[in-house]
Amino acid sequence: MAASSLRAGVFGVGALGRHHTRILSRLPGVELVGIYDPRAETAAAIAAEHSVRVVGSFDELAGAIDVAVLAAPTVVHAELGIRLLDRRIHLLVEKPVSTTLAEADALIAAAARAGRVLAVGHVEFHNPAVQALIDADPRPRFVEVQRLGTFSPRSLDIDVILDLMIHDLQILHALDPSPVVEVRATGIPVLSGRIDIANARVAFASGMVANITASRVSSERTRRLRAFCSDRYYSVDYQAQEIKGYELVRGEAGPAIQPASPPVEKAEPLLRELEAFLRSCRGEASHQVDGEAGRRALATALEILTAATGHA
C-alpha cells in the first residue's frame, strides 16, 4: 500500500457491514486492516470471502486504523462511535445515527473535539438518480414517496420509520432545508412487535408537503419518489437509478408539457458513499451526510414515530 493510504476497519459485518467490507477490500487508496464482529463465525465467513483479517477485539482494531465504518446495531452507535472518535478516528456510522437526539449530539460533540469526520450511512442520498434530482434544484411543492419492502428479520430492533423511512426523510431535508412545521402519521405492527408499515404527512415552512409511505411487510419492493413543482415534475425510481422529468413550456401555440429528464450515470450507491467519506477524511470537498444532517433526519423520524404511536 502507498504511504498515503488510509487504514480502515469495519466494526460489524452483518447485512450492511459485509458490503462495506467487500468494497473497502478492493478500493484504491485504502488498506483494510481488518474487521471485528463479536459473532466469530460470521466474521470468519466474511473474512474468508474477501481475504481480509479478523481482529480479535474492538480495541485492537481501533488502535490500528485511521478510519472506521460502524455497522453495529443502532443501540450501540453512540457508545462505540464515541470510543472511536475519542481515538481520533474518522467515523462513518450506519443510519440511523443513533436512537436518541442526545446520543446524536454526543457523537457530533465527540467528532468536533477530535477534529475528525463524522458521516452517517444514508446510502440512498448517494443514489445517482437522487443526486440528479438534487442537482436539478426542483424546489417541489408536493412530494410523494413509496418505500415498500418484503419482510426480513434484520433491523427488527427498530421500527420501519427508523429503518426505512428515514432514508427519504434525509432526502426531503436535502431538497428543502426549511424547518418541519407539522407532522401527521399512522403506523401499525404486522409481523413484529414494532411498527412495520407507516404513513406520514410532513409539512415544511417553505410550503412543501410530503406524503411518505414505508413498509417492510409488502409483497414486492418499491422505491419511488415523485416531486411536483410549479412548472416541472420528476419521478425517481431508486432501484432502476432512473429519473424522468417533464416541464411546462409556454410557446406561441400555447402551453405544452415536454420531457426534461436529467442525465444519470449509474453507479453503486454504497461505493459512492464510501468514496465521499474517504474524500472528506483526506480533507477534500465532498457531498456526504454529516452528523448534523443525520441528526436532522433522526429528529423528524422521531417526531413521526411520536405521531404514529400517539405518545409524547
Side-chain angles (χ1 to χ4, degrees), residues 194-240:
R194 298 179 181 271
I195 293 175
D196 293 316
I197 183 169
N199 175 264
R201 180 189 183 276
V202 181
F204 292 75
S206 68
M208 185 182 85
V209 174
N211 184 58
I212 317 145
T213 301
S215 169
R216 56 188 181 193
V217 290
S218 298
S219 60
E220 58 185 27
R221 286 170 56 89
T222 300
R223 302 282 193 273
R224 290 186 181 276
L225 180 150
R226 298 177 179 88
F228 300 84
C229 314
S230 58
D231 58 357
R232 288 177 289 169
Y233 162 75
Y234 296 101
S235 177
V236 177
D237 185 327
Y238 292 136
Q239 295 182 100

Side-chain angles (χ1 to χ4, degrees), residues 11-74:
F11 297 82
V13 289
L16 290 171
R18 65 185 59 206
H19 292 294
H20 284 289
T21 301
R22 169 178 58 83
I23 294 171
L24 288 171
S25 68
R26 305 170 185 174
L27 202 58
V30 179
E31 176 190 359
L32 183 54
V33 173
I35 61 175
Y36 169 73
D37 194 300
R39 301 164 300 174
E41 290 186 5
T42 299
I46 299 302
E49 182 178 355
H50 300 294
S51 301
V52 300
R53 183 169 71 99
V54 176
V55 178
S57 73
F58 180 97
D59 288 328
E60 182 184 354
L61 181 55
I65 58 175
D66 308 303
V67 302
V69 171
L70 179 57
T74 307

